[in-house]
Amino acid sequence: MRFSIITPNYNGGRFLEQTLASVTAQADVELEYIVVDGGSTDASHQIIARHASKIARTIIEKDTGPANAINKGLAAATGDVLAWLNADDIYYPGALERVRQVFEQRPDAAICFGGCPIIDAQGREIRSAITRFKELFYPISSRFTYQCINYLSQPALFFRRSAFEQAGPLRENMRAAWDYDFILRLWRSGGAAQVPGRPLAAFRWHEQSISGQHFARQFQEEYEAARADAGSLAPQTLIHYCVRWGIVGAYSLMARRRKSCA
């Protein structure tokens, strides 16, 4: 079982070294690592060069955003299992080998996911209550549940090539929720299997991240994607609508608190 991992990057040198190292250290599986850089002007190219011996392909050219960059990587990928890891997130040691084992045990699964804490710029876990809340849905994971609420963390999610071929590429006209829309489409190809135990990856939250800057737009787009997938009058759509406003309210409150403490 061959893995293809894509890292999109544009001026992400602040965290890129950690991201690349966390992927190239996954030595227990057959790995094709693809880095897609949108023409960075910071130290990214020097950082990528330091890891060149373990990167199968580097694409350096202008793109129209992260979704476009990831689509380029997915188009070039040859693996049986695909995923992307953004230039500020990390994998934990042995993550891909654990994913491989679960996919082999669950040939019916189109998607494989695991735990994914939120970390800050210094790598410290934050917002643990949000992580625990998401994990409550793992035992009842289903396409229905995912249409109601986005509880899967993209850095810790992997999918089969066959599911990707059926789902098609990421929507590049979305600003913040193209991953949620894409995962909804992946789910049409089969079930999702959880990797038990310790987390697979960590999602880094910081002020410059997409979720840090555009969370209201993100949850609006997620609602629209769920409505399109489940249907305007489906109970999942109504549940998602209510959940969306609760989450946006909580995030807005946290944003105001950060500003008041600054």
Side-chain angles (χ1 to χ4, degrees):
M1 184 177 292
R2 179 179 173 88
F3 282 75
S4 291
I5 306 298
I6 296 102
T7 290
N9 176 68
Y10 180 69
N11 288 339
R14 181 182 180 189
F15 304 112
L16 183 60
E17 186 86 55
Q18 297 175 50
T19 300
L20 299 183
S22 77
V23 178
T24 58
Q26 305 288 320
D28 297 332
V29 298
E30 184 180 356
L31 174 63
E32 174 186 57
Y33 192 21
I34 302 171
V35 178
V36 185
D37 185 274
S40 295
T41 57
D42 64 356
S44 292
H45 294 172
Q46 293 94 315
I47 296 170
I48 293 169
R50 288 200 291 270
H51 295 265
S53 64
K54 296 184 178 180
I55 297 174
R57 182 171 181 182
T58 302
I59 302 171
I60 300 178
E61 60 186 30
K62 289 184 178 181
D63 55 52
T64 59
N68 179 239
I70 294 165
N71 278 336
K72 291 179 182 180
L74 290 172
T78 63
D80 308 297
V81 175
L82 312 176
W84 71 86
L85 187 71
N86 291 320
D88 45 7
D89 302 330
I90 59 171
Y91 285 146
Y92 288 117
L96 300 191
E97 168 60 16
R98 294 167 59 210
V99 171
R100 183 192 64 78
Q101 293 174 8
V102 170
F103 265 134
E104 289 185 346
Q105 295 165 4
R106 289 285 307 276
D108 61 306
I111 304 167
C112 187
F113 69 92
C116 184
I118 304 168
I119 60 176
D120 64 11
Q122 288 72 44
R124 300 170 300 203
E125 183 174 1
I126 58 174
R127 302 185 176 188
S128 58
I130 294 176
T131 302
R132 304 291 91 78
F133 175 75
K134 288 184 174 183
E135 290 173 348
L136 291 175
F137 295 92
Y138 288 3
I140 56 171
S141 186
S142 69
R143 185 181 173 198
F144 178 97
T145 312
Y146 195 62
Q147 289 168 333
C148 295
I149 181 172
N150 181 4
Y151 59 88
L152 297 180
S153 297
Q154 177 277 312
L157 185 134
F158 303 80
F159 47 96
R160 295 188 190 273
R161 167 171 291 281
S162 57
F164 166 62
E165 290 173 347
Q166 180 173 329
L170 280 66
R171 286 179 53 188
E172 297 180 17
N173 62 334
M174 300 182 79
R175 186 174 185 182
W178 30 264
D179 52 348
Y180 177 70
D181 171 82
F182 178 69
I183 295 167
L184 282 172
R185 288 184 279 127
L186 288 174
W187 215 302
R188 299 171 188 173
S189 300
Q194 180 189 353
V195 179
R198 63 190 185 279
L200 296 175
F203 164 73
R204 194 185 304 271
W205 189 97
H206 52 94
E207 295 289 349
Q208 289 73 45
S209 62
I210 292 176
S211 58
Q213 299 183 72
H214 307 297
F215 64 84
R217 174 70 175 270
Q218 173 188 342
F219 294 118
Q220 170 66 25
E221 289 184 346
E222 286 186 3
Y223 167 70
E224 293 170 354
R227 183 179 61 189
D229 195 61
S232 298
L233 301 179
Q236 307 95 293
T237 303
L238 177 60
I239 293 170
H240 195 117
Y241 180 84
C242 298
V243 168
R244 166 198 166 201
W245 285 113
I247 294 175
V248 169
Y251 274 54
S252 298
L253 179 60
M254 287 188 290
R256 287 196 294 269
R257 285 180 177 175
R258 288 195 303 273
K259 289 181 179 178
S260 65
C261 294

